[in-house]
Amino acid sequence: MTTEKESSAAVADLLHDAGEAGRADAADQPRLTDAARKRRRRKIAALGGIGVALAIVILIIIRALSGSNPLPSIPSELPHHVSDIYGVNQPMGVAVSPSGDRVYVTESEGSRLVRVFDSSGHQIGTLQPNSGNGSFRLPVYVAVSPKTEEVFVSDRLREAIDVYSPSGKYLRALRPPGSSSGKANPLGLAFGPEGGLYMTDVGGSRQNHRVLVLGGSGSKSLRTIGSRGMFWFPNGLAVDGKGDLYVADSNDGRVAIFNPAGKLVSAIARGVGEGDLALPRGIAISGDRLFVVDTTAQTVKVFHLHGNVAELPTYIGSFGGEGIGNGQFRYPNGIAIGRNGRIYVTDRQNARVQVWEY
């Protein structure tokens, strides 16, 4: 008969043998290398991603079958093309009335009129000076006074700014003095928050190109921005709510940025990198976004404004591209933004105004 002491010893021997066997089996198993562990983690992560994707697909199907929106909408950083306005011959400038019910478009060929459209894109009238036919005028840029809703149109050939009433009646022609002998040659137009009219003057040589600030009626010159030779055919310009000025300095391939005192504080430069410019023309501001029409790049480039004029705007992206299809440009030029956020871009060689929205 086996005693209790002998039984305990036997159990201890069995446990010892089992432990040794287990250690031997473990020793026989191959060890995982670091590379194998990484592959295993990647497989697990991939399976997890597939699971999430399947869950989203199932959610979309369930929502679609139930008649609800598949997913909540996500605000886009860039707008999408909505429609086009036709009936203009090589449009150049565009502006929207403060109420948003009228869109003014200058045409550089044909009759060379300013055509007036309603918010749906239907033509409701035209603007033209009292004298002269199409061969003796060239309307380029247009701006609407936020206070009086009078319409101001720059004319390159007549070296004047034509002013119209909100109803379309021709009121007067402004001919500001030039920086040297002779008259100024107005081009870009914009109104500031204080009601002053800002215009780019491209009369004479590069040394005379500048920005001129006029009183709200345009009859009195208030100040000049830009030293001699600072600009080279400046085109469109825009003024934000704080009085900071953004000028499309076209032939220099940049957007020059000035503080309210008229001091140059920063610039978006010419180049071939992301967010660089080639030939900027039209320019507009909406909230914290700056829109620049880059004509030879066939795009509109969008930048984020930081609230500090000395801080260079951050490039967000661009929309457009060369072509004749929907949302494509052939030498875009002017840009305006309505109170409803609609973006109007003159698509010159495609003879239309494109409408974009967020």
Side-chain angles (χ1 to χ4, degrees), residues 14 27 34-35 39 50 107-108 116 131 136 151 163 237 251 265 268 272 275 328 332 348:
L14 288 172
D34 290 341
R39 286 194 296 271
I50 293 172
E107 60 180 7
S108 59
V116 188
S131 61
F136 293 101
V151 184
V163 186
L237 67 174
N251 284 16
V265 292
I268 303 171
V272 295
Q328 294 181 318
R348 191 180 76 203

Side-chain angles (χ1 to χ4, degrees), residues 83 85 94-96 100 102-103 105 118-121 284 293 334-346 353-356:
S83 61
I85 299 174
V94 60
V96 185
R102 294 186 302 280
V103 180
V105 184
D118 63 19
S119 58
S120 299
V293 179
I335 185 170
I337 303 175
R339 62 180 299 177
N340 59 0
R342 279 193 166 186
I343 303 167
Y344 299 85
V345 183
T346 56
V353 178
Q354 294 196 28
V355 185
W356 295 70

Side-chain angles (χ1 to χ4, degrees), residues 161-356:
I161 300 173
D162 293 308
V163 186
Y164 301 85
S165 72
S167 63
K169 179 182 177 181
Y170 184 73
L171 298 178
R172 60 191 180 277
L174 305 175
R175 289 182 169 84
S179 58
S180 58
S181 60
K183 300 183 294 292
N185 198 327
L187 191 56
L189 301 172
F191 281 90
E194 78 290 349
L197 175 63
Y198 292 68
M199 69 164 234
T200 56
D201 175 14
V202 294
S205 67
R206 171 176 182 156
Q207 297 300 313
N208 298 324
H209 295 182
R210 59 182 178 157
V211 173
L212 191 62
V213 185
L214 308 174
S217 64
S219 58
K220 182 180 179 181
S221 177
L222 301 180
R223 61 187 176 121
T224 298
I225 297 175
S227 58
R228 288 179 62 81
M230 176 177 285
F231 300 117
W232 193 13
F233 279 98
N235 269 243
L237 67 174
V239 190
D240 66 17
K242 296 184 298 183
D244 300 322
L245 173 65
Y246 299 77
V247 182
D249 187 10
S250 290
N251 284 16
D252 281 326
R254 64 172 185 165
V255 170
I257 305 173
F258 299 82
N259 64 18
K263 179 182 178 182
L264 179 67
V265 292
S266 60
I268 303 171
R270 165 178 280 162
V272 295
E274 190 174 63
D276 291 338
L277 301 174
L279 188 70
R281 288 284 180 83
I283 191 168
I285 294 173
S286 178
D288 62 355
R289 291 183 180 180
L290 173 70
F291 298 82
V292 182
V293 179
D294 201 349
T295 298
T296 53
Q298 314 292 351
T299 61
V300 177
K301 293 179 178 175
V302 187
F303 299 84
H304 172 71
L305 301 176
H306 301 281
N308 176 10
V309 68
E311 187 175 354
L312 191 66
T314 299
Y315 178 64
I316 295 174
S318 65
F319 60 91
E322 185 174 7
I324 62 174
N326 292 336
Q328 294 181 318
F329 296 118
R330 290 178 64 213
Y331 298 98
N333 194 85
I335 185 170
I337 303 175
R339 62 180 299 177
N340 59 0
R342 279 193 166 186
I343 303 167
Y344 299 85
V345 183
T346 56
D347 186 7
R348 191 180 76 203
Q349 294 303 114
N350 283 327
R352 62 187 175 183
V353 178
Q354 294 196 28
V355 185
W356 295 70

